[in-house]
Amino acid sequence: MEQSIYRAFSDYLKDRYGEKVYKLPIALPVTCPNRDGSCGNGGAGCTFCGEIGTGYENLPASLTITEQMEANKAHIVPKYKAKKFIPYFQNFSNTYVAPQKLKEWVAEAGAPDDVVAVYIATRPDCVSDEHLQVIKEQADICGIDICVELGLQSINVHTLTKINRGHTLAELIDAVLRIKRCGLQCCVHLILNLPWDDELDVIEDAKILSALGVDQVKLHALYIVKGTAMAKDYEAGKLKMITLPEYEDRVIKFLEHLSPEIVLQRIIGRAPEENTLFSNWHTGWWKIRDHIINVMRQEGRYQGRLCDYLNGRAVRKFC
């Protein structure tokens, strides 16, 4: 079973809520500080980010949260017989607003009886105690979980500078500590094949997130979106992409060094081919996932196998 190889999100949801739970993508009328010029390089944004962000499946942000939820349910419920849901504020930086506005959005998303949690995607530099306090209060009122998803992409500060991320690892550490102190869940997004990262960076990704005690991780393979700064470099031959076997090996090494307590939302992402110049080595994401699982099973490798570096490793012989 997949669960014996890594702690899969689907298994976690069934254990926590008693049955399958489905995410409902929600687009909000927000941007991010790396787009409006507040940080980064004059509003240029991250070099890999397209005009619509990551919301390829999102409905228009002009619709209310309730309207988007009902439209998504109309598609999902008949097909999957779904009964429980997680509204996912997906696109751009969804805490890049006044705290009160964020509270109103969480209240609307969390109000239906079939909602068990709200997931909120944002940046590490967009998390304040004020924002966390208001959403925690609203989560308690609605009786739901809150998970704040943070886009980090890499622990390597030189890579973060290359992709014009506009923040470093320090902001990620600060955000995770604040989220955990507030009693909320935290997920971190990583891209394991950025051209400037190597195997050591990937292993350190796992070790940092394990040491911080994050709850969930979402892995992506880098895809090159048309019209982006990264797309121009890719077309000019300035970016060297690692091979699919190299990516799979990075994922396995990451999982082996990751705490077995951390949930994996995914180990490979996806993007529409019509929007990209490069995506997943022209291979179905499910094929990549299944091959990684099969290799790990055949070789006796699993999440947490090499997670032996915490709690004062060097002094264990004295304890």
Side-chain angles (χ1 to χ4, degrees):
M1 293 292 291
E2 190 173 297
Q3 189 176 24
S4 64
I5 302 300
Y6 67 86
R7 195 175 179 206
F9 190 49
S10 57
D11 295 326
Y12 160 79
L13 292 177
K14 287 181 186 177
D15 289 343
R16 186 163 184 83
Y17 304 113
E19 61 184 285
K20 282 188 176 181
V21 181
Y22 292 83
K23 266 188 169 183
L24 304 174
I26 303 294
L28 298 177
V30 296
T31 181
C32 92
N34 205 5
R35 284 177 167 267
D36 69 8
S38 299
C39 69
N41 184 19
C46 301
T47 62
F48 59 79
C49 189
E51 286 301 314
I52 63 170
T54 59
Y56 295 107
E57 300 175 348
N58 283 6
L59 294 168
S62 57
L63 297 176
T64 68
I65 291 173
T66 300
E67 289 170 338
Q68 292 182 62
M69 290 172 62
E70 291 305 317
N72 281 315
K73 286 180 187 178
H75 168 70
I76 293 174
V77 171
K79 187 174 182 180
Y80 300 106
K81 310 303 179 186
K83 296 179 181 178
K84 293 182 179 179
F85 303 94
I86 296 175
Y88 176 33
F89 299 172
Q90 181 178 19
N91 221 21
F92 300 123
S93 301
N94 293 280
T95 60
Y96 191 48
V97 293
Q100 184 59 37
K101 173 55 68 175
L102 180 62
K103 182 178 181 179
E104 292 170 6
W105 286 338
V106 171
E108 182 177 357
D113 292 337
D114 54 7
V115 168
V116 296
V118 173
Y119 279 42
I120 305 170
T122 190
R123 288 166 53 92
D125 55 358
C126 292
V127 177
S128 73
D129 289 343
E130 290 79 7
H131 287 81
L132 296 174
Q133 188 58 44
V134 296
I135 62 176
K136 177 65 166 63
E137 291 172 359
Q138 193 56 52
D140 291 342
I141 292 171
C142 295
I144 59 173
D145 292 327
I146 295 285
C147 182
V148 182
E149 300 200 8
L150 302 171
L152 173 63
Q153 319 314 345
S154 171
I155 53 89
N156 188 322
V157 66
H158 302 289
T159 296
L160 294 176
T161 301
K162 285 276 190 183
I163 63 177
N164 192 41
R165 188 66 188 160
H167 66 75
T168 66
L169 179 61
E171 288 91 329
L172 182 280
I173 294 172
D174 176 59
V176 172
L177 294 178
R178 291 179 186 279
I179 292 166
K180 301 292 284 185
R181 280 199 300 266
C182 200
L184 303 175
Q185 297 179 31
C186 178
C187 175
V188 174
H189 296 207
L190 292 169
I191 299 173
L192 294 192
N193 64 322
L194 286 163
W196 308 275
D197 281 2
D198 59 22
E199 180 182 297
L200 288 178
D201 291 308
V202 168
I203 292 173
E204 193 68 8
D205 282 335
K207 295 173 77 170
I208 291 290
L209 299 191
S210 297
L212 286 172
V214 304
D215 300 284
Q216 301 175 19
V217 175
K218 185 182 289 184
L219 301 182
H220 304 260
L222 177 66
Y223 48 81
I224 308 296
V225 179
K226 294 176 181 178
T228 61
M230 194 172 282
K232 295 177 183 177
D233 287 343
Y234 179 77
E235 291 178 308
K238 296 180 180 179
L239 296 182
K240 180 176 175 56
M241 306 294 287
I242 64 173
T243 65
L244 176 54
E246 288 173 321
Y247 175 78
E248 292 175 338
D249 185 60
R250 288 189 181 190
V251 172
I252 293 171
K253 286 185 169 67
F254 174 87
L255 291 174
E256 288 189 298
H257 287 85
L258 189 70
S259 166
E261 301 301 316
I262 297 176
V263 174
L264 273 296
Q265 281 203 30
R266 65 167 60 133
I267 59 175
I268 183 77
R270 59 180 175 177
E273 287 193 11
E274 62 268 22
N275 295 95
T276 57
L277 300 176
F278 174 89
S279 177
N280 291 350
W281 299 270
H282 306 292
T283 304
W285 66 270
W286 65 94
K287 292 182 180 179
I288 298 173
R289 179 202 61 192
D290 290 350
H291 187 254
I292 289 171
I293 292 170
N294 288 335
V295 168
M296 294 181 73
R297 182 178 292 118
Q298 291 167 8
E299 297 181 359
R301 304 167 77 176
Y302 52 87
Q303 180 181 342
R305 187 177 75 88
L306 300 176
C307 183
D308 61 350
Y309 45 83
L310 301 175
N311 191 28
R313 177 183 179 182
V315 295
R316 288 180 193 163
K317 61 185 179 182
F318 300 117
C319 299

